[in-house]
Amino acid sequence: MLGNLFSAFGRDSRQRPVFDNTRRLARIAYRTQYYARIAASAFGRIPLTTQLRTHFPFAFPDGLPPANLTIEFTNYCNLACTYCTSPLGIRTRGFMDEETFALLLAGLRNFRIPRLRIVGNGEPTLHPRFCEMATDLAKSCEYLTMVTNLQRLPEKVARAMLQAPVRLIEISADSDNPEEYERSRVHGSFVKLISNLGMLQRLKRELQSPSLINVRCMIRPTQIDREKEILAFWSRYADVAMPQYLHDYTHGNDSDVFTHYQKEGLVPRCSIPTKHMIMHWNGRVPLCEMSQQQTGIPEGLIVGDIHNMSLKEIWNAPLFVQYRQGHRMRDNALTPICRGCIGG
């Protein structure tokens, strides 16, 4: 029984590999070491209750600010990964402008969100003002993180990341084999990634930066038997390496990925609207990342826009409140776009 409780793997009737995204304990168990390191790096900066809310949000009342805000500097990317939606060009591409960023900073002064995360449907270091923006965001929260492919890393950018500081720098990588890596990360260079990781570690020591460098190892079903070897390889170049199982978000563009487990007709109990908010490069805030696929609307189901609403107003907008209540009470009538969703 305990084995089933802490295992999220299985196969469907057609013998496709399945990852059960609904098993919270299993999702924590397979990344225990990673979560422990994150909790340690955030100790004294983010209250324990806020960290717990990211995993068990329904144990806490509504009305609290989101535990996390994801900020998209740009949805342009220098890679065309086979499993990513970015190469599909679903949304209009652009860079966050100074007016939008200024409104974001003003909103953060009045609605303090403990953890900010620089990521999105592109590569954030491509933004021409990345250094200044990362530095300003670090001053606006207790814990700043980012996700990057680390293919573009001028020393100026590396120093800005470490000095801001970006307290958690997450680098996405595939395989411990150059050919496999470059087959997945089209336009990427395995050698360049290794070199940039070396420079980042060198500068971290030189600057005595508190940044935690984590390599997120994208694990395919065909790599499960080699998972420990892959993690051991990337652990040489980072403070910690964690597995992240590749899911089918692009509807068949990449066949070597996990299928999501879903019961027929079930509207999953999703925690995202209770803890997480996303801002696109243009200042618009969708209900969640998956709302684009669920509705077919390129930008997803938009709740608000920083140009005419404050962050606090957006978070407490009727649509966000409706979906929070719907998932908390398991009322499917309040969560109409969520049926069949693979998020959560």
Side-chain angles (χ1 to χ4, degrees):
M1 181 176 178
L2 285 177
N4 291 332
L5 184 65
F6 289 101
S7 176
F9 294 104
R11 294 199 173 259
D12 69 5
S13 59
R14 287 163 288 183
Q15 291 300 300
R16 298 179 304 178
V18 171
F19 183 82
D20 186 346
N21 205 39
T22 66
R23 296 189 179 185
R24 174 58 58 181
L25 288 177
R27 292 178 65 184
I28 294 173
Y30 87 85
R31 296 197 290 199
T32 302
Q33 179 187 9
Y34 166 75
Y35 286 129
R37 292 294 301 273
I38 295 301
S41 72
F43 182 76
R45 306 196 68 83
I46 300 181
L48 179 59
T49 52
T50 301
Q51 295 193 52
L52 289 173
R53 278 179 60 210
T54 65
H55 299 294
F56 307 102
F58 295 116
F60 297 87
D62 284 340
L64 300 171
N68 304 281
L69 170 63
T70 287
I71 301 160
E72 182 183 70
F73 283 2
T74 180
N75 59 349
Y76 280 105
C77 194
N78 49 350
L79 301 186
C81 301
T82 58
Y83 46 78
C84 183
T85 59
S86 181
L88 304 179
I90 295 171
R91 286 191 283 122
T92 301
R93 299 193 192 275
F95 294 92
M96 183 173 287
D97 60 30
E98 293 189 29
E99 178 190 0
T100 303
F101 188 67
L103 289 169
L104 169 62
L105 291 179
L108 290 169
R109 284 193 291 271
N110 297 315
F111 192 51
R112 197 76 174 179
I113 298 173
R115 177 176 171 176
L116 305 181
R117 189 168 182 248
I118 305 169
V119 66
N121 204 218
E123 169 52 42
T125 62
L126 295 180
H127 198 291
R129 295 189 63 247
F130 171 85
C131 298
E132 297 86 352
M133 292 166 72
T135 300
D136 287 341
L137 286 179
K139 297 173 183 176
S140 302
C141 69
E142 298 301 323
Y143 197 80
L144 178 64
T145 80
M146 69 175 288
V147 178
T148 172
N149 58 45
L150 212 70
Q151 285 289 318
R152 177 187 180 274
L153 193 68
E155 185 167 325
K156 177 184 177 183
V157 170
R159 286 182 177 275
M161 290 160 61
L162 295 166
Q163 290 177 314
V166 179
R167 293 188 174 271
L168 174 63
I169 302 171
E170 299 193 280
I171 299 101
S172 299
D174 302 70
S175 182
D176 54 351
N177 177 281
E179 291 183 1
E180 282 186 345
Y181 174 91
E182 292 172 8
R183 189 161 54 244
S184 290
R185 302 212 154 232
V186 179
H187 309 313
S189 165
F190 187 85
V191 172
K192 183 182 290 185
L193 175 57
I194 298 294
S195 174
N196 286 343
L197 280 166
M199 178 176 68
L200 195 62
Q201 288 283 24
R202 174 179 59 81
L203 289 175
K204 177 184 171 178
R205 291 190 296 270
E206 175 188 315
L207 299 170
Q208 298 183 336
S209 171
S211 298
L212 186 71
I213 300 172
N214 170 56
V215 173
R216 292 169 26 165
C217 306
M218 305 300 171
I219 303 295
R220 297 174 174 278
T222 54
Q223 295 173 325
I224 284 293
D225 292 340
R226 294 174 42 231
E227 179 179 319
K228 290 183 178 179
E229 297 172 30
I230 294 171
L231 291 172
F233 176 85
W234 289 110
S235 293
R236 304 176 205 165
Y237 303 98
D239 300 317
V240 65
M242 77 166 192
Q244 181 164 327
Y245 300 111
L246 282 175
H247 297 165
D248 184 11
Y249 289 119
T250 56
H251 302 293
N253 290 352
D254 190 326
S255 60
D256 189 14
V257 291
F258 287 94
T259 300
H260 283 74
Y261 166 83
Q262 285 293 335
K263 291 182 179 178
E264 188 67 28
L266 177 71
V267 175
R269 191 186 194 196
C270 180
S271 63
I272 292 174
T274 70
K275 65 185 183 183
H276 189 57
M277 187 159 55
I278 306 161
M279 179 176 292
H280 289 165
W281 64 267
N282 56 10
R284 294 178 182 175
V285 176
L287 178 69
C288 66
E289 292 174 295
M290 302 307 298
S291 67
Q292 184 277 325
Q293 292 189 31
Q294 292 299 110
T295 63
I297 302 170
E299 286 202 278
L301 186 60
I302 299 299
V303 179
D305 189 321
I306 196 67
H307 295 95
N308 49 48
M309 297 173 71
S310 70
L311 283 176
K312 186 174 183 179
E313 288 172 334
I314 295 172
W315 182 244
N316 292 302
L319 197 59
F320 255 138
V321 172
Q322 173 189 322
Y323 274 80
R324 282 199 284 273
Q325 291 178 345
H327 284 295
R328 183 178 290 275
M329 298 184 298
R330 296 184 183 274
D331 185 343
N332 296 350
L334 296 177
T335 58
I337 73 164
C338 299
R339 186 172 300 278
C341 182
I342 62 175

